[in-house]
Amino acid sequence: MDVTIYIISQLAVMALSLLLALYMLVRGHRMAHDDAEFRVRRSLMVAFLLTLAAHSLSGCFIVRGQALEVHATQPLTLLYAAFAVLTLWGSAAMGRRHHQRLTTWTLMFQIPAVLLVVNALMLLSGHYRPIMASADLLDYQVNAPVVFFGRVIFMAMLLVCWLTSLGMFVEEWLHYRGTRGDKPMETRAAFSRCEVRLLCGWAVLLLAAVVPFTLYFYPPHFVKNFLWVAALLWTAFVYRRLVALTRERLTGNAMGRLLAGRLPVVLSLSQGGTTPWHTSFTQNPFFTNGHPALDEVAGVLGVDRDQLSYYVHQTLGTNFLAWVSEQRLRYCASELAHGRRKLAELASACGYNDQATFTRAFKRQYGVVPSEYRRKASD
């Protein structure tokens, strides 16, 4: 019964990992072409899941009767490979560049690749000898000299790999902790806290997963597989969030580029007119005496009202009225620097009740009164 449950749980983790990898390849495919950062993180997440699936499948072949082989070469090596890919995924998510260096990939994967090749050759030649108890691992009397020294070398090399990757992961996390407070809002969005928590959770689970492979009985593997299924579901949730954040960032960038071209045109039509994108208006909503409506501003700009609202609130981190006031004062600053209109005339044309109100608003944004700004611009 334990054997059946063990095999089913291993295959369940493998199947869920493969399904999640396929889901990631399908969802966000278009965004991967437009956003290099998203493409890299998505590729590393898929690589991690595929390595995890390979490890789970290899765990099915360590069943020996009613017991399990301990310190099995193939599952332990693939488990380390999954941790190594996780470390490189963490490098991309936490602002490091380890994953961009070929030397890092070579350093982290050349030893496990050699171990897997040697293991395959031993299996094919019939010289592989499973260890059924941890006490037999270093027993020179039980093992042939080649097997004994081979096991010692294998364990030493794998330990060095684990320590190297663990040290790199800790360095990435410390870097993230030290720099996240200095990042602007848009960069912090890319540094998804939820994604970093997921990475740390997986790191703990993978390190703890070494323990069941030192034991010949099944319950520790049941616990491990249950926790892994939960972590895979968490991974799916985080990936959906990453897709949403990337879509929002791309939408914000597109809206920013669009507004950069259209705002100067609309602001130049202070008395109304027709824009090159075929929107007509008799009163410019940016210069109304009162609170302009979001629908009116979006209409003259020729953009979707919801996308404009999201861009102002989420991407810029401000409110709509403050953003409109900022654009109006930017126009006023340009007129002061290049135009000759009197201050009272400019204040009235831009929708201010009087010159004093205009002066207070201008000084709040630029730190000087309009007359001083004009004098400095003319010098």
Side-chain angles (χ1 to χ4, degrees), residues 2-292:
D2 284 347
V3 175
T4 304
I5 297 175
Y6 170 77
I7 295 295
I8 291 175
S9 65
Q10 290 290 123
L11 293 177
V13 172
M14 182 194 73
L16 188 56
S17 300
L18 292 175
L19 287 174
L20 187 51
L22 180 62
Y23 168 76
M24 290 181 179
L25 289 172
V26 174
R27 186 173 175 83
H29 175 70
R30 292 183 179 179
M31 282 185 292
H33 292 284
D34 301 327
D35 191 287
E37 182 184 355
F38 172 77
R39 180 170 61 252
V40 169
R41 286 157 75 175
R42 169 176 169 264
S43 299
L44 289 169
M45 292 171 82
V46 170
F48 169 71
L49 291 170
L50 293 177
T51 311
L52 212 62
H55 161 77
S56 297
L57 179 62
S58 69
C60 296
F61 300 101
I62 63 172
V63 177
R64 310 295 179 190
Q66 295 300 310
L68 291 172
E69 178 186 352
V70 299
H71 302 283
T73 304
Q74 195 176 77
L76 283 176
T77 305
L78 289 171
L79 183 63
Y80 160 73
F83 188 85
V85 177
L86 181 81
T87 301
L88 295 172
W89 169 16
S91 167
M94 292 188 273
R96 302 300 281 162
R97 295 292 178 264
H98 303 313
H99 61 286
Q100 296 179 352
R101 303 187 183 101
L102 180 60
T103 52
T104 304
W105 286 83
T106 304
L107 174 67
M108 298 180 73
F109 291 100
Q110 63 179 348
I111 291 178
V114 170
L115 292 176
L116 288 174
V117 170
V118 172
N119 176 254
L121 292 175
M122 294 287 286
L123 288 170
L124 291 173
S125 64
H127 291 90
Y128 184 80
R129 295 293 181 268
I131 301 295
M132 302 307 298
S134 294
D136 297 336
L137 180 63
L138 300 179
D139 191 338
Y140 189 81
Q141 302 299 323
V142 173
N143 298 294
V146 174
V147 176
F148 172 79
F149 288 110
R151 291 284 184 179
V152 170
I153 294 172
F154 160 72
M155 296 297 292
M157 294 174 72
L158 210 54
L159 180 60
V160 170
C161 291
W162 274 102
L163 292 176
T164 302
S165 294
L166 181 60
M168 189 180 296
F169 186 88
V170 171
E171 186 272 337
E172 292 164 359
W173 184 79
L174 291 174
H175 171 81
Y176 166 75
R177 293 282 296 181
T179 59
R180 68 176 183 178
D182 300 329
K183 299 291 179 180
M185 182 178 299
E186 188 175 350
T187 307
R188 281 205 306 269
F191 273 55
S192 169
R193 291 183 180 181
C194 191
E195 185 179 4
V196 173
R197 292 192 190 103
L198 173 66
L199 285 162
C200 293
W202 267 119
V204 172
L205 288 177
L206 293 178
L207 288 168
V210 175
V211 176
F213 288 97
T214 65
L215 306 171
Y216 63 88
F217 44 89
Y218 294 93
H221 288 275
F222 299 157
V223 174
K224 179 207 74 171
N225 288 336
F226 174 80
L227 293 175
W228 280 22
V229 168
L232 286 168
L233 296 177
W234 186 13
T235 305
F237 167 78
V238 170
Y239 181 74
R240 287 188 61 186
R241 182 174 177 181
L242 179 62
V243 169
L245 286 172
T246 304
R247 182 181 292 113
E248 290 164 6
R249 186 170 65 251
L250 292 175
T251 301
N253 291 343
M255 179 61 71
R257 289 193 297 269
L258 187 63
L259 292 180
R262 293 189 175 186
L263 269 172
V265 176
V266 171
L267 293 172
S268 68
L269 300 173
S270 58
Q271 304 302 317
T274 303
T275 64
W277 51 93
H278 310 298
T279 59
S280 300
F281 52 96
T282 57
Q283 186 176 13
N284 195 317
F286 282 94
F287 303 128
T288 57
N289 188 358
H291 298 316

Side-chain angles (χ1 to χ4, degrees), residues 329 356-370 372:
L329 288 169
T357 304
F358 166 57
T359 300
R360 285 194 299 271
F362 191 91
K363 185 175 182 180
R364 201 161 43 240
Q365 178 157 323
Y366 289 96
V368 295
V369 296
E372 186 178 352

